[in-house]
Each structure stands twice: as C-alpha cells, then as structure tokens.
Amino acid sequence: MSGSTVVEDPGIPLVDRRNGKYNKYVQDDSQNGSHADLSALGPPGKFDNISYRLSRRKLLIKRRRICVNIECTLALIGVIVMLVENELIFAHKITKADAVSIFLKSGISVSTLLLLMAVIGYHVIGIQLHMTDNSLEDWRLAVNFPATFLKILMELMICAIHPIPGNITTHVTDPKSEGHDVSIDAILSILMLMRFYLVGKFLVVHSRLLTNTATQSLGALNKVKINTVFIFKALMSTMPGTILIFIMLGILLSSSWAMRTCEIYYHPDPEHSTFFNCMWMIAITFLTVGYGDIYPNSYCGRFVAVSTGLMGVGTTALLVAVLAQKLEQSRAEKYVHNFVYRAQLDKERKHAASDVIKYVIQLWRMKKHSEVSDRKRIRLHGKLLQAISNMREAKNEKSSIGENAIGVIEISKSVNDVYDIVEKMEDTNKELKDQVNNMESKLSDMSTKMDALYTAMMRK
C-alpha cells in the first residue's frame, strides 16, 4: 500500500519522525481486517526502508505525470486563445481596444499564471524525487546551484511570455527605412509558440522507458540519464519516419503562421496576408530553394525566414541520416551479397587464369613455329597483359570484401572464441599440473617404500 506501513507484530513502538517521540503501541486487528494507517508518520527512518522509497517514488512519478498533463493542457489553451484573438484581428472583426480582445487576453493571462504554478510544482516534485532516489533529507542537497535555479528561471520566462491585455505599441523601422507604430503583440504571440517544448516533456513522462523499472536500473548502472534526449534518440531509432514527418509539419505550420503575423503587423500587404502564400515562402525557405517570388518585407519576417532555413538544414541532415540507415544492408544481407560476390570473383579469376595460360601457349607456339607476324604477336601479348590484370583485380577485390565483411560483431565473436580457447588451455594446464603432482607424490611414495625395502633387506 503506497504511502502507508502495516504493522503486523503487536506491541512494537512506533516513532513519530516529525517530533522524534514514541507513539503509543499500534496493533494489527487481524480479526476485523483493519490495519493501522501510518502514512501520517512519514518515512520510518532516514529513507532506510526500501519499500517506502519505492512506493514514494512511484507516487511522485504519478504526480509528476499529472503535473505535466496540466502544463500541456494550460499551454495548449493559452496558445489556442491567442490564435483565436489574432485571427479575429486579422479578419478585422475586432480591435485591440474591444472588450472581446481584452477578455481573450485576460484568459491567456490567467492560463499563463496557472501554467507558471504548474511549472514550479513540476520542479518541486522533481527535487523530491531526487531526494527519494538518493536518500537525501535536506532539499538543498538535491539542488545543483546555480544550474537548477537558472533552468527553473529560464522555463518560467519562456512560459510567462504572452500578449497582455491592452494595446502597447512601439516605434519600429522596416527594411525600407519607413517608421511606424505597431503593437508588441506580434512578437509576444510568436514567442508564445515556444511553449511547444512541453511536448518533449510530455513524451518523456508518458514513455515506457521512464516508467519501466528495468530501464531505470540499466540506465543507473551504465550512467545513462533517461531524459528528453534519450527518448528522442529512442523514437528516432524505432520510428524515424513518423517523427520526422511530425517535426517538418510542425515547423511548416508554426513558421507560416509566424511569418504571416510578422508581415501583417509590421508590413501589411495583400500578398503576405494569406496563409497559403506564407506557407509557400516558408516551404521554399525550409527546403533551401528560395525562388524569390515572395520575400519578407520586415525584420521580424526575415528573422523567421532565417530560423526556418536553419531548421530546414538540420531536418534535412536528419532525413539523410535516416535514409542512409534504412538503405544500409542488414548483417544477413551483407553475408549473402558478399558470398555471391566472392563466388563471382572466384569465377572471374579462374577465367582470367585460363586466359593467361591460353595466351602464353599461343605465344609459345608462335615462337616455336617461327611465325614472324608482329601484328598477331602484339595482339596476343596485349590480351595476355589484360588477362593478368583482370586476375590481379579479382584477387584484390576478393581480399577487400573479406576485410569489409569483418565488423564489430565478428570481432566480438572472435574475441569470445579466443577467450574460450584460453580458458580450455588453462583448464588443461591445471589438469596436467595435478597429474604431475600426483606422479611426484607417487614417486615419493615409491622412493619411501624402496628405502624401507632396502633397509629390511640389509637387516636380513
């Protein structure tokens, strides 16, 4: 039972760890089937009870999962309300001064405040989990200063960004040196999309690799942290195509909306006000094509285009790596291909050797019969050299196939075979040593008996 301890032996005093005093004797009423609930007493010692630690760890992992669910839900609600408010403004249905805009932004602020509280709760649970795993009594021992505080502060700053109620404007200058006053909601709305980093946290806490005890044990033994990077690598190994598709679609949609927002706020024109035109510009930027038919007219749009290009280069590199891995032959396929290719090279080498012998015999016959045809002799000599060259190439290619066929698995197998042979030799040497010792002991006994026999014969 998680969070509680059952006392089965009556008459055992319990220690209240909150005040250090003994409580009254608590007995187990087996007849009534009721057990004493000691969850209020806290841990029965300085985390020395392994069952308590495991149950508490399970409870903390469950709480952290619930906390991450709340974070993702609040972040999604805030982003959706922000998108609705901006789309209404883009469609000229409302303005920044209308009550609808103020109400929607107030809802974003409330969800952001709750999100910040959930983020703090997540980190508090993480510290408690670290204390439980390492049997720490003081929370300050579980905090790595200043890295932990900087991490919490950065996450709070990312989640705190949102368009606030009202209309705060600032004076900006576009690339054509034309200045005008615009609202800061464009920058705040685009930066609010950074909350999608919570998707990675959601995948981590809901992954079986985190909840599986065996994975945690193996990770601890091998000093491997089960975090977002580990989960991402695992997903890229199991289903790389699906992950890359989701990444590319997410970058395409978010960057297209960000580009449209920048252009409408800072340089409105009919060409950049449509979502499909912005999607086309982001697509050709993501693919590093850049036709130039549509281009950003604001510094904000240029920043989004550069960011999209960098993400496109990184995603393309991942795509190339995945394709190279998928197109690579498996171990069994390599063995089959190498076997067939080696047989083909053996056949080519035999044919080349037979050609060499044939051309040598023909040249010898020409010389024996004193045929003085320089043209025929030169042609045969060239064929002989070509056959020798083919034979050598087949031999070198076969040796290179043997070298390339040796991999880590083959080397490991060879090392294991050598180790087995060495063990057998050691066992054999040990047996020989025992036999030699037995022979020495028998010879010693024979020498003793011979001495005794000699002494007896001398007495007679």
Side-chain angles (χ1 to χ4, degrees):
M1 180 168 57
S2 103
S4 62
T5 307
V6 177
V7 180
E8 297 183 356
D9 295 331
I12 299 178
L14 299 176
V15 181
D16 190 347
R17 296 296 173 182
R18 294 171 296 181
N19 50 26
K21 297 179 181 180
Y22 285 93
N23 288 337
K24 61 181 181 179
Y25 290 92
V26 179
Q27 299 181 358
D28 177 68
D29 191 358
S30 302
Q31 298 177 355
N32 297 331
S34 61
H35 300 280
D37 188 6
L38 306 179
S39 59
L41 296 179
K46 295 182 178 180
F47 292 98
D48 52 355
N49 191 347
I50 188 65
S51 62
Y52 167 77
R53 291 174 58 189
L54 292 175
S55 60
R56 180 172 174 79
R57 186 178 186 278
K58 183 177 180 181
L59 180 62
L60 289 175
I61 290 177
K62 182 178 180 181
R63 290 179 179 176
R64 185 172 64 174
R65 188 182 301 115
I66 295 174
C67 190
V68 171
N69 293 338
I70 294 174
E71 286 183 18
C72 292
T73 303
L74 293 173
L76 184 62
I77 291 174
V79 171
I80 291 176
V81 175
M82 179 268 295
L83 293 175
V84 170
E85 192 264 343
N86 279 283
E87 291 298 326
L88 290 176
I89 291 177
F90 295 162
H92 303 289
K93 301 294 183 181
I94 60 174
T95 60
K96 295 291 182 180
D98 291 344
V100 177
S101 176
I102 296 175
F103 175 76
L104 293 175
K105 289 184 177 180
S106 300
I108 297 174
S109 299
V110 172
S111 65
T112 301
L113 181 60
L114 296 176
L115 175 61
L116 296 178
M117 295 172 62
V119 170
I120 295 174
Y122 170 81
H123 286 284
V124 170
I125 294 173
I127 293 174
Q128 292 177 354
L129 186 60
H130 185 72
M131 293 172 60
T132 304
D133 291 339
N134 297 275
S135 300
L136 302 176
E137 289 290 329
D138 195 344
W139 66 271
R140 288 171 290 187
L141 299 175
V143 175
N144 186 14
F145 183 83
T148 304
F149 293 100
L150 291 177
K151 181 180 178 181
I152 297 174
L153 181 61
M154 182 178 297
E155 189 169 358
L156 290 175
M157 290 176 61
I158 292 174
C159 294
I161 299 175
H162 69 284
I164 59 178
N167 186 20
I168 302 176
T169 59
T170 182
H171 186 76
V172 296
T173 304
D174 58 12
K176 296 181 180 180
S177 300
E178 296 179 359
H180 47 278
D181 295 334
V182 295
S183 176
I184 64 172
D185 289 348
I187 300 297
L188 296 178
S189 300
I190 294 172
L191 294 178
M192 193 177 176
L193 297 177
M194 291 192 298
R195 295 184 181 185
F196 284 111
Y197 82 93
L198 294 172
V199 175
K201 189 185 293 186
F202 181 83
L203 293 176
V204 170
V205 299
H206 286 275
S207 176
R208 293 181 180 179
L209 297 175
L210 183 69
T211 57
N212 192 1
T213 308
T215 307
Q216 293 290 336
S217 302
L218 290 174
L221 290 175
N222 294 279
K223 297 181 180 179
V224 176
K225 293 183 178 180
I226 311 299
N227 50 15
T228 307
V229 178
F230 181 83
I231 301 297
F232 178 74
K233 290 180 180 179
L235 292 175
M236 286 295 295
S237 300
T238 54
M239 44 181 183
T242 305
I243 298 300
L244 285 177
I245 289 174
F246 276 107
I247 290 175
M248 289 188 290
L249 288 178
I251 294 175
L252 177 63
L253 295 177
S254 60
S255 300
S256 300
W257 187 86
M259 177 65 71
R260 178 167 173 254
T261 303
C262 286
E263 294 301 312
I264 290 178
Y265 270 96
Y266 294 101
H267 196 281
D269 58 5
E271 190 177 37
H272 294 83
S273 60
T274 60
F275 185 78
F276 291 104
N277 284 340
C278 292
M279 185 178 292
W280 166 251
M281 181 168 57
I282 291 298
I284 61 177
T285 305
F286 182 83
L287 299 174
T288 64
V289 178
Y291 291 113
D293 53 349
I294 302 177
Y295 55 89
N297 295 316
S298 61
Y299 289 114
C300 176
R302 291 182 177 181
F303 177 78
V304 173
V306 172
S307 302
T308 304
L310 294 176
M311 289 186 288
V313 171
T315 308
T316 304
L318 287 176
L319 182 60
V320 171
V322 169
L323 289 177
Q325 183 181 5
K326 291 298 182 182
L327 295 176
E328 185 179 359
Q329 289 180 330
S330 63
R331 186 164 172 257
E333 291 173 347
K334 284 183 179 179
Y335 277 130
V336 173
H337 176 264
N338 291 335
F339 181 80
V340 174
Y341 193 36
R342 193 181 291 112
Q344 182 180 356
L345 290 175
D346 286 336
K347 187 177 180 180
E348 291 179 359
R349 185 183 178 187
K350 291 178 181 179
H351 284 302
S354 63
D355 290 339
V356 169
I357 296 174
K358 180 178 68 174
Y359 295 140
V360 168
I361 292 175
Q362 290 180 1
L363 288 173
W364 175 78
R365 290 179 60 185
M366 289 179 62
K367 184 177 181 180
K368 183 178 179 181
H369 294 287
S370 301
E371 295 182 6
V372 195
S373 178
D374 293 338
R375 183 176 180 181
K376 186 177 181 180
R377 183 176 57 81
I378 292 173
R379 186 171 65 252
L380 288 176
H381 190 72
K383 291 181 179 180
L384 175 63
L385 294 178
Q386 183 64 34
I388 294 173
S389 176
N390 293 336
M391 185 174 63
R392 290 177 178 176
E393 288 180 0
K395 181 180 178 181
N396 295 332
E397 188 69 21
K398 183 179 178 180
S399 61
S400 65
I401 289 176
E403 294 176 355
N404 295 330
I406 300 175
V408 179
I409 299 176
E410 287 75 14
I411 294 175
S412 177
K413 184 179 179 181
S414 301
V415 171
N416 292 332
D417 294 340
V418 172
Y419 181 75
D420 294 337
I421 294 173
V422 170
E423 279 191 342
K424 291 179 181 179
M425 292 178 63
E426 289 180 352
D427 295 337
T428 305
N429 291 332
K430 187 177 180 180
E431 292 177 357
L432 291 174
K433 186 177 180 180
D434 295 337
Q435 292 178 1
V436 170
N437 291 332
N438 292 331
M439 291 178 63
E440 290 180 352
S441 62
K442 290 180 179 181
L443 289 174
S444 179
D445 294 339
M446 291 177 62
S447 177
T448 304
K449 292 179 180 180
M450 291 292 292
D451 291 340
L453 182 62
Y454 176 76
T455 304
M457 290 178 65
M458 289 298 294
R459 288 177 181 177
K460 293 181 179 180

